[in-house]
Amino acid sequence: MNKPAGLSHWFPVLGWGRAYDTQQLTGDLLAAGIVTLMLIPQSLAYALLAGVPPQAGLYASMLPLLAYAVFGSSRTLAVGPAAITSLMSAAAVGQVVAADPSAFWDATLVLTLLSGLMLAVMGVFRLGFLANFLSHPVISGFISASGLLIALSQAKHVLGIAASGDTLPDLLPSLWRGLPHTNLITLALGLFALAFLWWSRRRLKPLLLRLGLGPRLADGLAKAGPVTAIVVTTVAVWLGDLTRHGVHVIGDIPQGLPALTLPGWNPSLWAELAVPALLLSVVGFVESISVGQTLAAMRRQRVEPNQELLALGASNITAALSSGLPVTGGFSRSIVNFDAGAQTPAAGVYTAGGIAVATLLLTPFLHYLPQATLAATIIVAVLSLVDFGILKRTWHYSRFDFSVVAATLALTLLAGVETGLIAGIGLSIALYLYRSSRPHIAVIGQVPGTEHFRNEQRHPVQTSPHVLGLRVDESLYFANARYLEDCINQAVAARPALHHVVLLCSAVNHIDASALESLEAIEARLAGAGIKLHLSEVKGPVMDRLCGTAFFRQLSGRVFLTHYQAIQALAPESLA
């Protein structure tokens, strides 16, 4: 009887698949139709961004969606190529195979497979918590900088010029040198696509609603704006024979489904791509789980982070085996999938079917699709991710967080996506360690007429010259143990009439071996000065660990259930 439950844990499809009904089928088919229209131009555009042939984007939108439907725990997450992961892929592979551009796609497949394997292993060993080390300031700074880099990198296609670079110092001079060679026809097509996409994203749905269309139909048509831009500009290039005037188009896209491929085994290449693959995995997982949990909460559903690791791992492995590129749960397409009424991951299966039909039948019609249109699609999508307002918000709220955002943003722009992300994570962890190494320790006294004790610097409180109450607002571990010793020594030295020190431990969730040694040293010093050390409000798990220690056996004072009881026993005359 336990076996099906175990299988459903690893294969969520067995859970929702058993209860699949006609109503869910209708919702999933409608959502799949809308997402398919959105995903075709996105897939082509993100393949262009990743530096691989456009068909790779279509290939990455088929088998990975089937894999996610089997393993994914989110009912509405839509998996496929995404802007940030495509940029990271292009940057990582470009550094490794810069001398051999012909190997770019093969190296991208290796990166995709490595990422998929890492995600799957992290899921099996339940390492989803590692993503918690990517703080919001790091993610926000990284995404904003990456969005700006992506938009600038696509400007060359809108202008119809040659330019290169993965950082601002490389991109801006390259674009500047190319400006005199701008192709005006390409620029006109690109500006039209940009203007139309921007207008359709903000204005088309309200217009359709005013014309009497239903909300769902109006929303679906508005989301299909990129398809309209593709049709209009493609027809314009074809009718005007604009390729003769220097307009760059997608060109021939092979018809048919992808052949199964196995990325080549090159130990040195795999080793060089290992760190980029790990960063790609973490960023893709964070983006995916953030979207998945947000959408699940709206329907009171649940997303399992470790299962999502396994699902994304399977999706990327299948992408690598079918000539694709890295995939993750994209924000925009997942929102569209949710709003369109998707009920289960089967919507992704139907979307994959729609992409497969497009690959079989529609690719000849994409021959004249201008690269400028795809670039405009990317630019409009990624600029919505740029949030420079976080600099102002964090500056006013936390200078530490501001420094993390600013450093991540600046280093990503100036040194590249990998350097910026690693530096942001490193700085975030370093600042956390710094802050936790200097915990807030307050001298506390009784709020008159109550049993509450508060910081004497913030509240009018009653204290005793014979009892020092200290509240430690942090768990005690190796990094802050010595700081606690110094604070107690300084406080004791300033109070010659002192007889008792009481540590209020209500905020202490853990005491490690180094902190325990520091407590033993504090006890020994205080005892030598004729002062007793007491503890109050020690949490149960912490008390369980202390009970068998030499510190507890040698403690000169007592352990009190509440701080009020401690003062009541040690200095009752000070109570008001």
Side-chain angles (χ1 to χ4, degrees), residues 37 80 196 261 362 444 520 534:
L37 290 176
F196 177 78
T261 56
L362 301 182
I444 57 174
E520 292 172 352
H534 308 268

Side-chain angles (χ1 to χ4, degrees), residues 56 71 191 268 341 445 514 557 568:
F71 294 101
L191 291 178
S268 62
S514 298
Q568 198 174 40

Side-chain angles (χ1 to χ4, degrees), residues 181-198:
H181 308 289
T182 298
N183 184 296
L184 295 180
I185 298 178
T186 300
L187 179 61
L189 290 170
L191 291 178
F192 164 77
L194 281 170
F196 177 78
L197 291 172
W198 199 265

Side-chain angles (χ1 to χ4, degrees), residues 514-536:
S514 298
L516 183 62
E517 288 188 9
S518 289
L519 289 175
E520 292 172 352
I522 292 168
E523 160 64 26
R525 291 195 194 101
L526 292 178
I531 301 173
K532 290 186 176 182
L533 176 65
H534 308 268
L535 305 177
S536 70

Side-chain angles (χ1 to χ4, degrees), residues 172-519:
L172 292 179
S174 183
L175 289 170
W176 180 258
R177 289 192 297 269
L179 275 179
H181 308 289
T182 298
N183 184 296
L184 295 180
I185 298 178
T186 300
L187 179 61
L189 290 170
L191 291 178
F192 164 77
L194 281 170
F196 177 78
L197 291 172
W198 199 265
W199 174 81
S200 65
R201 174 172 288 224
R202 294 174 175 269
R203 305 292 183 185
L204 182 55
K205 182 178 178 179
L207 175 61
L208 294 175
L209 290 174
R210 288 196 299 271
L211 293 176
L213 274 67
R216 178 167 291 188
L217 179 58
D219 187 64
L221 291 175
K223 294 295 192 301
V227 177
T228 304
I230 283 176
V231 171
V232 171
T233 55
T234 300
V235 170
V237 172
W238 174 57
L239 291 178
D241 195 15
L242 300 182
T243 55
R244 297 181 58 187
H245 300 281
V247 174
H248 295 286
V249 296
I250 291 297
D252 292 328
I253 300 177
Q255 282 184 274
L257 301 177
L260 293 180
T261 56
L262 186 64
W265 170 247
N266 183 334
S268 62
L269 177 62
W270 283 56
E272 288 183 276
L273 291 175
V275 173
L278 178 61
L279 295 175
L280 183 69
S281 301
V282 174
V283 170
F285 171 64
V286 169
E287 179 179 359
S288 182
I289 196 66
S290 299
V291 178
Q293 289 180 334
T294 299
L295 297 180
M298 294 180 183
R299 292 184 180 175
R300 299 187 180 183
Q301 297 170 348
R302 184 173 179 269
V303 172
E304 171 55 48
N306 291 303
Q307 186 63 32
E308 287 301 291
L309 281 169
L310 187 61
L312 290 176
S315 298
N316 277 279
I317 290 171
T318 54
L321 298 179
S322 57
S323 303
L325 66 152
V327 298
T328 189
F331 179 79
S332 57
R333 75 176 67 94
S334 296
I335 293 294
V336 171
N337 197 42
F338 179 89
D339 290 342
Q343 300 296 313
T344 72
V349 177
Y350 307 142
T351 300
I355 298 294
V357 171
T359 307
L360 287 169
L361 303 178
L362 301 182
T363 52
F365 299 99
L366 298 174
H367 177 91
Y368 290 100
L369 171 58
Q371 291 184 7
T373 302
L374 292 182
T377 301
I378 295 175
I379 292 171
V380 171
V382 299
L383 285 182
S384 64
L385 303 176
V386 177
D387 177 23
F388 290 128
I390 193 172
L391 291 170
K392 180 180 179 180
R393 295 192 298 272
T394 53
W395 174 262
H396 290 296
Y397 181 74
S398 169
R399 300 296 167 85
F400 282 106
D401 288 335
F402 170 81
S403 65
V404 172
V405 174
T408 304
L409 196 152
L411 286 171
T412 301
L413 289 174
L414 299 176
V417 290
E418 288 181 24
T419 302
L421 184 58
I422 293 173
I425 295 173
L427 181 59
S428 185
I429 294 175
L431 289 176
Y432 167 76
L433 292 174
Y434 174 76
R435 283 184 289 189
S436 65
S437 71
R438 302 173 62 85
H440 182 254
I441 299 177
V443 177
I444 57 174
Q446 182 203 16
V447 178
T450 74
E451 296 185 5
H452 299 293
F453 290 80
R454 295 291 185 267
N455 189 339
E456 68 173 8
Q457 295 182 356
R458 292 178 176 270
H459 301 272
V461 295
Q462 191 77 20
T463 61
S464 168
H466 306 300
V467 179
L468 172 63
L470 292 175
R471 189 187 69 226
V472 184
D473 294 334
E474 187 75 59
S475 291
L476 299 176
Y477 73 118
F478 63 91
N480 61 24
R482 184 60 60 86
Y483 182 77
L484 175 64
E485 291 185 48
D486 294 340
C487 286
I488 291 178
N489 291 339
Q490 183 178 358
V492 169
R495 293 167 173 81
L498 197 63
H499 299 311
H500 303 278
V501 173
V502 185
L503 292 183
L504 173 58
C505 301
S506 57
V508 177
N509 298 312
H510 174 71
I511 299 176
D512 74 356
S514 298
L516 183 62
E517 288 188 9
S518 289
L519 289 175

Side-chain angles (χ1 to χ4, degrees), residues 122-195:
M122 290 168 67
V124 170
F125 288 98
R126 307 185 68 80
L127 300 180
F129 70 91
L130 292 176
N132 296 335
F133 289 100
L134 272 178
S135 65
H136 177 70
V138 171
I139 289 293
S140 183
F142 175 73
I143 289 179
S144 294
S146 298
L148 189 57
L149 285 176
I150 291 171
L152 286 172
S153 71
Q154 296 307 297
K156 62 183 179 183
H157 297 299
V158 175
L159 296 170
I161 61 176
S164 61
D166 298 318
T167 64
L168 277 186
D170 294 332
L171 274 170
L172 292 179
S174 183
L175 289 170
W176 180 258
R177 289 192 297 269
L179 275 179
H181 308 289
T182 298
N183 184 296
L184 295 180
I185 298 178
T186 300
L187 179 61
L189 290 170
L191 291 178
F192 164 77
L194 281 170

Side-chain angles (χ1 to χ4, degrees), residues 46-65:
Y46 293 148
L48 181 71
L49 177 59
V52 294
Q55 62 266 27
L58 296 174
Y59 297 162
S61 302
M62 286 187 269
L63 287 184
L65 277 68

